[in-house]
Amino acid sequence: AQSVAQPEDQVNVAEGNPLTVKCTYSVSGNPYLFWYVQYPNRGLQFLLKYITGDNLVKGSYGFEAEFNKSQTSFHLKKPSALVSDSALYFCAVRDSGDNFNKFYFGSGTKLNVKP
Amino acid sequence: SAVISQKPSRDICQRGTSLTIQCQVDSQVTMMFWYRQQPGQSLTLIATANQGSEATYESGFVIDKFPISRPNLTFSTLTVSNMSPEDSSIYLCSLGGVTSTDTQYFGPGTRLTVL
């Protein structure tokens, strides 16, 4: 079965510093991995996805993620954090085969960016 | 990407009552999904709603508690029946993709508080 794990409940970073939000995955078949962000009182917004190809995926709002097959990781990164990046971040993996529309979400990581 | 709206955006309800949440999309989609996000938790899939057929429920969710309608390709409703405080959550609808590389997009969510 597919699953993702986000080992950190919370990440604190100072504005202007680089940030990393961690995600590891366990899949059967090809890993189709996603990052979503949830701002307070808002729904989930899509940031980026890895399907195949280049291991470094660029997404919205200056975020990028690095797919590492040997470490089964898909960490979210940003070179310079903004206070407005403070939000809840979810890693997700989709199911394989005919169930590809079923997503499995991580537990979420709260990112706090301090001025 | 499609524009997804949900009504109501939030509600406070009394124990034992029912609430129907609407999800409207600005384009036709085959598969729609309903998720629940309990306070401080990740997203859990409730059911898949296909137009013209019965919804398919995930383990732990039943039709009597969460009846779903899907009258056409742009609209779905989720009813939370006989509510208890444990039903206090954010409920989100999402759109399925046509292929396994498609992104799944989410509505803004309905924040439900049951007293």
Side-chain angles (χ1 to χ4, degrees), chain A residues 49-64:
Chain A
K49 65 182 177 184
Y50 173 82
I51 301 299
T52 187
D54 195 347
N55 289 342
L56 185 63
V57 179
K58 294 190 183 296
S60 306
Y61 312 121
F63 283 93
E64 57 190 28

PDB file of all heavy atoms in Angstrom, chain A residues 49-64:
ATOM      1  N   LYS A  49       4.349  18.669  -8.157  1.00  0.00           N
ATOM      2  CA  LYS A  49       4.244  17.213  -8.209  1.00  0.00           C
ATOM      3  C   LYS A  49       5.446  16.622  -8.921  1.00  0.00           C
ATOM      4  O   LYS A  49       6.065  17.273  -9.769  1.00  0.00           O
ATOM      5  CB  LYS A  49       2.960  16.774  -8.911  1.00  0.00           C
ATOM      6  CG  LYS A  49       2.896  17.164 -10.378  1.00  0.00           C
ATOM      7  CD  LYS A  49       1.556  16.745 -10.994  1.00  0.00           C
ATOM      8  CE  LYS A  49       1.451  17.202 -12.451  1.00  0.00           C
ATOM      9  NZ  LYS A  49       0.111  16.884 -13.030  1.00  0.00           N
ATOM     10  N   TYR A  50       5.752  15.395  -8.556  1.00  0.00           N
ATOM     11  CA  TYR A  50       6.755  14.603  -9.273  1.00  0.00           C
ATOM     12  C   TYR A  50       6.054  13.420  -9.916  1.00  0.00           C
ATOM     13  O   TYR A  50       5.388  12.626  -9.227  1.00  0.00           O
ATOM     14  CB  TYR A  50       7.849  14.093  -8.323  1.00  0.00           C
ATOM     15  CG  TYR A  50       8.782  13.146  -9.023  1.00  0.00           C
ATOM     16  CD1 TYR A  50       9.828  13.627  -9.806  1.00  0.00           C
ATOM     17  CD2 TYR A  50       8.589  11.763  -8.954  1.00  0.00           C
ATOM     18  CE1 TYR A  50      10.665  12.758 -10.481  1.00  0.00           C
ATOM     19  CE2 TYR A  50       9.427  10.890  -9.627  1.00  0.00           C
ATOM     20  CZ  TYR A  50      10.460  11.388 -10.393  1.00  0.00           C
ATOM     21  OH  TYR A  50      11.280  10.526 -11.079  1.00  0.00           O
ATOM     22  N   ILE A  51       6.231  13.332 -11.222  1.00  0.00           N
ATOM     23  CA  ILE A  51       5.671  12.203 -11.940  1.00  0.00           C
ATOM     24  C   ILE A  51       6.820  11.359 -12.511  1.00  0.00           C
ATOM     25  O   ILE A  51       6.909  10.152 -12.283  1.00  0.00           O
ATOM     26  CB  ILE A  51       4.731  12.659 -13.077  1.00  0.00           C
ATOM     27  CG1 ILE A  51       3.591  13.503 -12.485  1.00  0.00           C
ATOM     28  CG2 ILE A  51       4.186  11.457 -13.837  1.00  0.00           C
ATOM     29  CD1 ILE A  51       2.721  12.782 -11.495  1.00  0.00           C
ATOM     30  N   THR A  52       7.697  12.008 -13.236  1.00  0.00           N
ATOM     31  CA  THR A  52       8.851  11.343 -13.809  1.00  0.00           C
ATOM     32  C   THR A  52       9.812  12.417 -14.285  1.00  0.00           C
ATOM     33  O   THR A  52       9.477  13.606 -14.301  1.00  0.00           O
ATOM     34  CB  THR A  52       8.444  10.425 -14.983  1.00  0.00           C
ATOM     35  OG1 THR A  52       9.591   9.674 -15.405  1.00  0.00           O
ATOM     36  CG2 THR A  52       7.935  11.231 -16.154  1.00  0.00           C
ATOM     37  N   GLY A  53      11.040  12.019 -14.640  1.00  0.00           N
ATOM     38  CA  GLY A  53      11.964  12.990 -15.220  1.00  0.00           C
ATOM     39  C   GLY A  53      12.904  13.595 -14.204  1.00  0.00           C
ATOM     40  O   GLY A  53      13.378  12.915 -13.281  1.00  0.00           O
ATOM     41  N   ASP A  54      13.155  14.883 -14.317  1.00  0.00           N
ATOM     42  CA  ASP A  54      14.113  15.592 -13.490  1.00  0.00           C
ATOM     43  C   ASP A  54      13.762  15.431 -12.013  1.00  0.00           C
ATOM     44  O   ASP A  54      12.604  15.620 -11.612  1.00  0.00           O
ATOM     45  CB  ASP A  54      14.108  17.072 -13.872  1.00  0.00           C
ATOM     46  CG  ASP A  54      15.313  17.808 -13.320  1.00  0.00           C
ATOM     47  OD1 ASP A  54      16.022  17.251 -12.452  1.00  0.00           O
ATOM     48  OD2 ASP A  54      15.555  18.949 -13.755  1.00  0.00           O
ATOM     49  N   ASN A  55      14.770  15.112 -11.211  1.00  0.00           N
ATOM     50  CA  ASN A  55      14.521  14.893  -9.784  1.00  0.00           C
ATOM     51  C   ASN A  55      14.200  16.177  -9.035  1.00  0.00           C
ATOM     52  O   ASN A  55      13.655  16.137  -7.936  1.00  0.00           O
ATOM     53  CB  ASN A  55      15.731  14.217  -9.137  1.00  0.00           C
ATOM     54  CG  ASN A  55      15.871  12.769  -9.576  1.00  0.00           C
ATOM     55  OD1 ASN A  55      14.921  12.182 -10.085  1.00  0.00           O
ATOM     56  ND2 ASN A  55      17.043  12.221  -9.386  1.00  0.00           N
ATOM     57  N   LEU A  56      14.557  17.315  -9.581  1.00  0.00           N
ATOM     58  CA  LEU A  56      14.255  18.596  -8.943  1.00  0.00           C
ATOM     59  C   LEU A  56      13.031  19.186  -9.638  1.00  0.00           C
ATOM     60  O   LEU A  56      13.069  19.512 -10.825  1.00  0.00           O
ATOM     61  CB  LEU A  56      15.446  19.545  -9.041  1.00  0.00           C
ATOM     62  CG  LEU A  56      15.286  20.872  -8.294  1.00  0.00           C
ATOM     63  CD1 LEU A  56      15.151  20.618  -6.786  1.00  0.00           C
ATOM     64  CD2 LEU A  56      16.462  21.789  -8.577  1.00  0.00           C
ATOM     65  N   VAL A  57      11.981  19.315  -8.870  1.00  0.00           N
ATOM     66  CA  VAL A  57      10.715  19.800  -9.416  1.00  0.00           C
ATOM     67  C   VAL A  57      10.466  21.205  -8.892  1.00  0.00           C
ATOM     68  O   VAL A  57      10.562  21.448  -7.694  1.00  0.00           O
ATOM     69  CB  VAL A  57       9.554  18.883  -8.972  1.00  0.00           C
ATOM     70  CG1 VAL A  57       8.243  19.394  -9.526  1.00  0.00           C
ATOM     71  CG2 VAL A  57       9.809  17.454  -9.404  1.00  0.00           C
ATOM     72  N   LYS A  58      10.135  22.097  -9.788  1.00  0.00           N
ATOM     73  CA  LYS A  58       9.831  23.470  -9.375  1.00  0.00           C
ATOM     74  C   LYS A  58       8.328  23.681  -9.369  1.00  0.00           C
ATOM     75  O   LYS A  58       7.606  23.171 -10.237  1.00  0.00           O
ATOM     76  CB  LYS A  58      10.521  24.464 -10.299  1.00  0.00           C
ATOM     77  CG  LYS A  58      12.034  24.412 -10.202  1.00  0.00           C
ATOM     78  CD  LYS A  58      12.697  25.555 -10.922  1.00  0.00           C
ATOM     79  CE  LYS A  58      14.212  25.432 -10.866  1.00  0.00           C
ATOM     80  NZ  LYS A  58      14.712  25.532  -9.469  1.00  0.00           N
ATOM     81  N   GLY A  59       7.869  24.453  -8.370  1.00  0.00           N
ATOM     82  CA  GLY A  59       6.443  24.655  -8.237  1.00  0.00           C
ATOM     83  C   GLY A  59       6.080  26.104  -8.004  1.00  0.00           C
ATOM     84  O   GLY A  59       6.829  27.022  -8.327  1.00  0.00           O
ATOM     85  N   SER A  60       4.914  26.293  -7.381  1.00  0.00           N
ATOM     86  CA  SER A  60       4.383  27.631  -7.150  1.00  0.00           C
ATOM     87  C   SER A  60       5.101  28.322  -6.000  1.00  0.00           C
ATOM     88  O   SER A  60       5.667  27.667  -5.120  1.00  0.00           O
ATOM     89  CB  SER A  60       2.897  27.549  -6.827  1.00  0.00           C
ATOM     90  OG  SER A  60       2.186  26.846  -7.810  1.00  0.00           O
ATOM     91  N   TYR A  61       5.038  29.649  -5.992  1.00  0.00           N
ATOM     92  CA  TYR A  61       5.522  30.496  -4.894  1.00  0.00           C
ATOM     93  C   TYR A  61       7.001  30.287  -4.587  1.00  0.00           C
ATOM     94  O   TYR A  61       7.436  30.506  -3.463  1.00  0.00           O
ATOM     95  CB  TYR A  61       4.692  30.253  -3.622  1.00  0.00           C
ATOM     96  CG  TYR A  61       3.199  30.266  -3.840  1.00  0.00           C
ATOM     97  CD1 TYR A  61       2.427  29.162  -3.534  1.00  0.00           C
ATOM     98  CD2 TYR A  61       2.567  31.386  -4.375  1.00  0.00           C
ATOM     99  CE1 TYR A  61       1.059  29.172  -3.735  1.00  0.00           C
ATOM    100  CE2 TYR A  61       1.200  31.397  -4.587  1.00  0.00           C
ATOM    101  CZ  TYR A  61       0.455  30.273  -4.261  1.00  0.00           C
ATOM    102  OH  TYR A  61      -0.907  30.271  -4.479  1.00  0.00           O
ATOM    103  N   GLY A  62       7.795  29.846  -5.566  1.00  0.00           N
ATOM    104  CA  GLY A  62       9.225  29.681  -5.370  1.00  0.00           C
ATOM    105  C   GLY A  62       9.632  28.382  -4.701  1.00  0.00           C
ATOM    106  O   GLY A  62      10.817  28.184  -4.400  1.00  0.00           O
ATOM    107  N   PHE A  63       8.670  27.505  -4.462  1.00  0.00           N
ATOM    108  CA  PHE A  63       8.983  26.216  -3.850  1.00  0.00           C
ATOM    109  C   PHE A  63       9.512  25.223  -4.888  1.00  0.00           C
ATOM    110  O   PHE A  63       9.184  25.292  -6.070  1.00  0.00           O
ATOM    111  CB  PHE A  63       7.748  25.618  -3.177  1.00  0.00           C
ATOM    112  CG  PHE A  63       7.408  26.255  -1.864  1.00  0.00           C
ATOM    113  CD1 PHE A  63       6.520  27.313  -1.795  1.00  0.00           C
ATOM    114  CD2 PHE A  63       7.992  25.787  -0.690  1.00  0.00           C
ATOM    115  CE1 PHE A  63       6.223  27.906  -0.584  1.00  0.00           C
ATOM    116  CE2 PHE A  63       7.690  26.380   0.530  1.00  0.00           C
ATOM    117  CZ  PHE A  63       6.796  27.436   0.575  1.00  0.00           C
ATOM    118  N   GLU A  64      10.312  24.310  -4.405  1.00  0.00           N
ATOM    119  CA  GLU A  64      10.804  23.211  -5.210  1.00  0.00           C
ATOM    120  C   GLU A  64      10.906  21.976  -4.323  1.00  0.00           C
ATOM    121  O   GLU A  64      10.869  22.068  -3.096  1.00  0.00           O
ATOM    122  CB  GLU A  64      12.166  23.546  -5.829  1.00  0.00           C
ATOM    123  CG  GLU A  64      13.235  23.910  -4.835  1.00  0.00           C
ATOM    124  CD  GLU A  64      14.483  24.458  -5.490  1.00  0.00           C
ATOM    125  OE1 GLU A  64      14.392  25.049  -6.601  1.00  0.00           O
ATOM    126  OE2 GLU A  64      15.564  24.322  -4.893  1.00  0.00           O
TER     127      GLU A  64
END
